Amino acid sequence: MEYRLKTPVSREELAKLRAGDMVYLSGEIYTARDAAHKRMTECLDRGEPLPFEIRDSVIYYVGPTPEPPGRVIGSAGPTTSGRMDAYSPRLLDLGQKIMIGKGMRSREVIEAMVRNGAVYLAAMGGAGAVMSACVKSARVVCWEDLGCEAVRLLEVEDMPLTVAIDSRGGNIYESGPAAYLESLKGGK
């Protein structure tokens, strides 16, 4: 199936998605990589509020390159999501609804997604220019000292994504290889 979603996305809208579905996402999303996730955790550990609203948020695991003349952002391809696995369950429990990145996620993250009705969307790895073309505006929200890893608020339009793990735990990293192996049996 194919879906067009606009942030904020409701839990009911997310519940319709299945692993393997195509999503074109529009609206506001945040960027955050390893260093920003570490800072978020440090804020929470000190009992401080995060400098942006985590409830119903979308976080794209990206550290964009500097914007060339005439563009709002440079290359914006996803980073490996597993590096955020230590932080993600806590953020999901605080209300984060969508994660965007590339690669498999840990069992703990998937359990937190199911518990909270969240989804993990895969962005095209190696296609940073394609992904950046969907970004209509970008501004630093916090931790500018982190450079490309500062948290930014992006306004995106029709960002092409694939549902990698749905809110029920359906997982293309498991079902895809299993389907392929099954297809090999049928060919013998």
Side-chain angles (χ1 to χ4, degrees):
M1 296 284 299
E2 189 174 288
Y3 294 90
R4 293 194 177 278
L5 300 176
K6 177 138 177 62
T7 64
V9 183
S10 72
R11 188 175 181 135
E12 293 74 28
E13 289 175 292
L14 294 178
K16 296 175 187 175
L17 303 177
R18 296 291 176 267
D21 287 347
M22 184 73 186
V23 170
Y24 292 93
L25 185 66
S26 297
E28 293 184 342
I29 67 174
Y30 293 100
T31 68
R33 283 182 44 153
D34 319 41
H37 276 75
K38 184 174 187 279
R39 292 245 180 117
M40 285 186 260
T41 298
E42 291 168 349
C43 279
L44 294 169
D45 287 347
R46 290 190 302 266
E48 298 171 359
L50 294 177
F52 61 94
E53 181 58 52
I54 195 72
R55 180 159 302 284
D56 298 325
S57 69
V58 178
I59 296 182
Y60 181 24
Y61 304 144
V62 61
T65 63
E67 66 277 3
R71 300 289 306 269
V72 298
I73 198 167
S75 182
T79 195
T80 303
S81 301
R83 295 199 310 255
M84 272 52 75
D85 280 2
Y87 311 107
S88 295
R90 187 174 190 182
L91 298 176
L92 291 164
D93 288 342
L94 290 172
Q96 181 186 354
K97 287 296 181 232
I98 300 174
M99 301 168 288
I100 303 171
K102 67 177 181 182
M104 297 189 324
R105 305 307 300 268
S106 71
R107 179 61 36 210
E108 293 80 14
V109 172
I110 296 169
E111 289 170 358
M113 290 170 57
V114 171
R115 184 169 61 243
N116 293 290
V119 299
Y120 171 51
L121 304 177
M124 293 180 277
V130 171
M131 300 308 288
S132 68
C134 301
V135 179
K136 303 307 173 194
S137 68
R139 71 174 174 83
V140 173
V141 172
C142 59
W143 305 317
E144 192 166 0
D145 63 301
L146 295 178
C148 72
E149 290 200 42
V151 174
R152 288 173 173 72
L153 179 63
L154 307 181
E155 180 73 31
V156 299
E157 185 176 311
D158 292 332
M159 180 177 270
L161 305 161
T162 302
V163 179
I165 304 172
D166 63 38
S167 62
R168 290 172 180 76
N171 185 341
I172 61 171
Y173 297 107
E174 294 172 356
S175 62
Y180 172 73
L181 292 173
E182 189 61 33
S183 75
L184 293 178
K185 292 178 189 176
K188 292 184 177 181

